[in-house]
Amino acid sequence: MKIAAERRKKAEGEKILRGIGVSSGIAIGPAFVIEQGGIPVPEYTLSAGQVEKEVKRFQGAVQKTQKQLGLLKAKAEALPAGADEDVGLLLEAYKGMVSSSRLLRGVEETISEAKLNAEAAVQRQIGVIAAGFASMEDEYLAARADDVREVGARLIRNLLQQKYNPFESAPPSSIFLAEEITPADTALMDPSRVAGFAAVLGGAEGHAAIMARAIGIPALLGVTELIGGVSTGETVIIDGFAGKIILRPTPETLQAYKAQLVKQARETKKLKGLRTMPAVTLDGTLVTVEANLELPRDIDSVLEAGATGVGLLRTEFNFMNRPDLPSEDEQFEVLRDLVKKMEGRPLTVRTLDVGGEKIASALGETLGESINPALGLRAIRLGLRETKLLDAQLGAILRAAAYGPVRILIPMVSSVEQMKQVRERLVAIEKRLQRRGIKVPSALPPLGAMIEIPAAALAADAFSRVCTFFAIGSNDLTQYTLAIDRGDDRVANLYNPYHPAVLRLIELTIAAAWRANIPVSLCGEMAGDPRATALLLGLGLREFSIAPSRLPKIKNEIRSIDLPQAIAFAQEVLKLTDEVAIRALLERGPESMQEAAAARKK
Ligand code: PEP
Ligand code: MG
């Protein structure tokens, strides 16, 4: 980002950049560019025994920095001719600086000889190198001092593994522009300061995208050309519907988008009127519409949206942006407050699902490095290995369940044995709590599995014997069925929850749940897509769990659907094997079948 801002000589006129519109809506506001660096650097003395570990920590940060720069360089190739070369060369130069022996040797010597921590050692060595460049007479070489500092700031940021919070200092209703926005960043966002955001990296179904939809702010990811330059304060428009960001809009463009904003507000108001209406189809079938909850602070929006419960509470929030792990007591208090707020509506608490793209800093070493993080130590696999972590969570959930209806949901289950193990632990924890005289519910809460690994969907009948309910995770089910990283914008075009293979697995899961007579919901992003509503109802789904911002729209959709027609429609969709044809039919909706039949009769 910095690269670009520096290289852009002066602001040109209106410019449109394309990206993946991951959260719909329009936002207009001043740009707030999140630069690397700007972080206070800690300085402390090491003991002789700490030196070796500190050098290793520094080497790890160097590797991470190299990887980031490589990723950005690959992205820069997609920039328009000229810019691609400029930015590419600069990033190559940065890579060279990070691995220069002068920097590496200098820092390692400072750590071992001056016994200085790695961040301070980098700062010191960067200062020396930058001063050398700055004193050069050649203007071009003198300007390289800034580049060296930029590289140093990036290294320090990677060493600290903790970002400064840029979201606190931005003016209200800013549009955040960054190289990358992580799920942890979105958890820090104060909705009053964030009108929208856009980033160079990231795919449509990564958690940053999900969080944006949850908060209901327009967002764009994979905007390669953002490397091409925006300055803080410039007016920008995010069009999350069309997947574009408009820099320095002309008065005409601004006018047109302001009119769209007014329309958007009118539509939202109209949908709010549905809050107390039941989600019932035209033929009178009642559908359960619950909400996904990412952060406790959003509980009010769940209730305002008219959700009949929380179908998915992602508990990762409890583990983000902190250096330590939450205790059982701390987790219990957060959950108990949520249960109370729900006033008798069920709260489905999913146990920790870190790993893959969702990282908790306190678990960094436990998770370790993995060649395929999405296939590695993640979610319940981590819980059953680090049982203290899982037990603390199960204990907290059980205790909270004494205050109102709670369901326990286990992520990333691939074997029946895992569910049996969790149930055994739950029973043991219940006994332990009872022995200590701690209040627990009279019966164990329902225990369900996320069906999000193809193996679990294919073996859904077996899982139905060890689960009280199912929740289909269409995001991961798509990722694992198609082998497409859901957070990678370079393969985002291949990520398709409407692929016939994914639909088949959803059909299998719902059918198995019906056979076993257990509830099944769908809480992936597909549940919030109105194009999928008739299909899912037609496949037998009667429970949806959706981002609160999307809930009214889906309720509205459900109220316009005739179930027998949706069942026939789902059968038509399942007959198709061509992804493009499936999308086209979903786009046209079930009414199109009636129209086609009427046309045939004529
Ligand atoms: C899913 O995978 O569909 C899901 C709901 O879980 P998450 O997005 O948190 O992985
Ligand atoms: Mg998942």
Side-chain angles (χ1 to χ4, degrees):
M1 305 289 300
K2 175 103 181 275
I3 311 163
E6 267 172 17
R7 265 153 182 67
R8 194 157 52 79
K9 304 272 183 307
K10 63 176 172 40
E12 312 107 36
E14 175 173 303
K15 192 167 178 196
I16 297 177
L17 314 181
R18 302 267 164 194
I20 311 167
V22 297
S23 180
S24 57
I26 307 289
I28 306 175
F32 189 92
V33 179
I34 304 174
E35 299 288 4
Q36 313 298 340
I39 325 161
V41 177
E43 184 168 331
Y44 48 87
T45 311
L46 306 167
S47 65
Q50 289 172 315
V51 166
E52 198 185 332
K53 204 168 165 207
E54 193 68 355
V55 170
K56 281 222 173 83
R57 195 166 73 86
F58 166 64
Q59 289 164 345
V62 168
Q63 267 179 16
K64 185 167 178 189
T65 309
Q66 291 274 23
K67 203 166 150 191
Q68 286 169 344
L69 292 168
L71 214 59
L72 280 178
K73 189 163 174 279
K75 290 241 49 157
E77 281 164 20
L79 286 172
D84 58 343
E85 212 171 302
D86 270 9
V87 177
L89 282 174
L90 190 73
L91 288 165
E92 193 55 49
Y94 281 10
K95 283 187 80 186
M97 285 175 198
V98 182
S99 48
S100 76
S101 56
R102 187 158 175 222
L103 178 67
L104 299 184
R105 208 177 341 103
V107 173
E108 288 180 16
E109 274 171 17
T110 313
I111 294 174
S112 9
E113 284 160 26
K115 307 266 182 303
L116 207 53
N117 62 305
E119 293 87 351
V122 170
Q123 170 126 311
R124 195 178 279 188
Q125 188 62 17
I126 287 286
V128 174
I129 302 175
F133 274 115
S135 65
M136 291 190 181
E137 279 191 10
D138 181 300
E139 234 177 75
Y140 175 82
L141 286 178
R144 300 286 65 76
D146 278 348
D147 294 337
V148 173
R149 286 194 201 99
E150 163 72 9
V151 166
R154 189 179 275 273
L155 256 175
I156 291 172
R157 189 172 63 94
N158 286 335
L159 274 165
L160 284 170
Q161 286 192 2
Q162 198 184 355
K163 282 182 205 148
Y164 80 114
N165 183 353
F167 307 107
E168 276 170 354
S169 51
S173 301
S174 290
I175 294 193
F176 288 94
L177 303 172
E179 189 176 295
E180 185 176 17
I181 295 206
T182 64
D185 288 335
T186 48
L188 292 175
M189 284 182 182
D190 166 358
S192 72
R193 292 188 189 278
V194 192
F197 68 78
V200 177
L201 303 172
E205 301 306 335
H207 285 82
I210 290 175
M211 295 284 261
R213 288 194 283 265
I215 316 170
I217 51 173
L220 243 63
L221 295 179
V223 192
T224 306
E225 280 192 272
L226 265 185
I227 324 177
V230 192
S231 305
T232 290
E234 284 183 353
T235 299
V236 293
I237 300 172
I238 293 212
D239 181 344
F241 297 110
K244 60 186 182 183
I245 165 165
I246 301 148
L247 312 178
R248 304 174 292 278
T250 61
E252 295 75 40
T253 309
L254 209 51
Q255 192 59 32
Y257 272 102
K258 280 189 176 158
Q260 272 208 51
L261 264 184
V262 173
K263 218 170 120 203
Q264 194 174 298
R266 223 181 285 136
E267 169 97 341
T268 312
K269 200 168 157 208
K270 203 174 107 204
L271 288 174
K272 267 199 178 149
L274 289 176
R275 189 179 169 274
T276 51
M277 305 275 226
V280 60
T281 56
L282 290 176
D283 54 288
T285 307
L286 190 63
V287 179
T288 304
V289 181
E290 299 187 325
N292 291 352
L293 181 60
E294 317 298 318
L295 301 169
R297 69 164 190 220
D298 297 332
I299 185 74
D300 292 336
S301 57
V302 166
L303 301 173
E304 271 161 32
T308 54
V310 166
L312 168 64
L313 168 66
R314 291 183 167 99
T315 51
E316 290 77 69
F317 71 86
N318 249 336
F319 295 75
M320 282 176 185
N321 299 310
R322 58 187 293 166
D324 56 349
L325 294 171
S327 66
E328 178 183 309
D329 284 348
E330 184 186 334
Q331 295 185 65
F332 157 64
E333 279 163 25
V334 176
L335 293 175
R336 179 203 52 205
D337 291 351
L338 285 175
V339 172
K340 283 187 177 172
K341 278 220 154 188
M342 291 300 287
E343 293 180 340
R345 301 176 194 89
L347 178 77
T348 311
V349 187
R350 186 174 72 184
T351 58
L352 186 62
D353 186 11
V354 291
E357 57 154 358
K358 294 178 262 188
I359 304 296
S361 23
L363 289 167
E365 282 186 19
T366 312
L367 294 174
E369 285 291 315
S370 177
I371 294 175
N372 273 318
L375 306 182
L377 194 56
R378 210 196 130 168
I380 195 57
R381 302 166 182 186
L382 175 71
L384 286 172
R385 197 180 146 110
E386 302 291 327
T387 45
K388 266 199 193 140
L389 198 68
L390 178 65
D391 289 356
Q393 229 186 354
L394 292 176
I397 302 174
L398 259 185
R399 288 164 62 186
Y403 293 81
V406 165
R407 296 184 285 231
I408 306 177
L409 182 56
I410 308 299
M412 295 282 299
V413 175
S414 60
S415 101
V416 164
E417 205 48 44
Q418 290 169 318
M419 285 308 290
K420 288 187 184 162
Q421 285 175 23
V422 172
R423 192 175 289 278
E424 273 166 25
R425 302 204 81 80
L426 197 61
V427 171
I429 292 166
E430 183 194 36
K431 291 217 173 87
R432 192 196 73 205
L433 290 171
Q434 279 166 338
R435 269 200 308 274
R436 284 166 50 204
I438 296 176
K439 197 163 131 189
V440 288
S442 50
L444 275 183
L447 178 64
M450 290 284 297
I451 304 294
E452 53 185 347
I453 293 182
L458 290 165
D461 280 318
F463 278 95
S464 70
R465 284 175 221 124
V466 291
C467 294
T468 328
F469 68 97
F470 284 162
I472 303 174
S474 54
N475 308 336
D476 275 316
L477 193 58
T478 307
Q479 158 164 273
Y480 294 120
T481 305
L482 304 180
I484 296 294
D485 183 340
R486 60 195 262 194
D488 188 338
D489 55 299
R490 293 165 301 177
V491 287
N493 60 327
L494 294 170
Y495 181 95
N496 177 15
Y498 304 114
H499 188 290
V502 181
L503 297 184
R504 194 71 62 210
L505 292 173
I506 292 176
E507 181 202 14
L508 280 177
T509 308
I510 298 174
W514 274 87
R515 271 194 294 279
N517 200 17
I518 59 168
V520 53
S521 72
L522 191 143
C523 57
E525 293 300 290
M526 196 182 200
D529 182 351
R531 289 172 306 181
T533 313
L535 167 68
L536 293 172
L537 284 174
L539 290 176
L541 193 78
R542 299 290 177 266
E543 284 183 34
F544 292 65
S545 190
I546 312 167
S549 65
R550 297 215 168 179
L551 197 147
K553 213 176 178 96
I554 299 302
K555 200 192 248 190
N556 197 32
E557 191 67 28
I558 291 171
R559 291 173 60 86
S560 74
I561 286 170
D562 172 55
L563 196 56
Q565 196 181 49
I567 293 171
F569 179 66
Q571 291 315 308
E572 281 307 304
V573 175
L574 286 184
K575 273 186 212 153
L576 298 175
T577 50
D578 174 343
E579 291 175 60
V580 179
I582 292 177
R583 273 198 189 267
L585 185 55
L586 291 178
E587 216 51 82
R588 289 199 301 276
E591 303 78 30
S592 65
M593 290 189 348
Q594 226 170 14
E595 287 156 19
R600 272 197 301 273
K601 270 192 194 148
K602 272 190 195 162

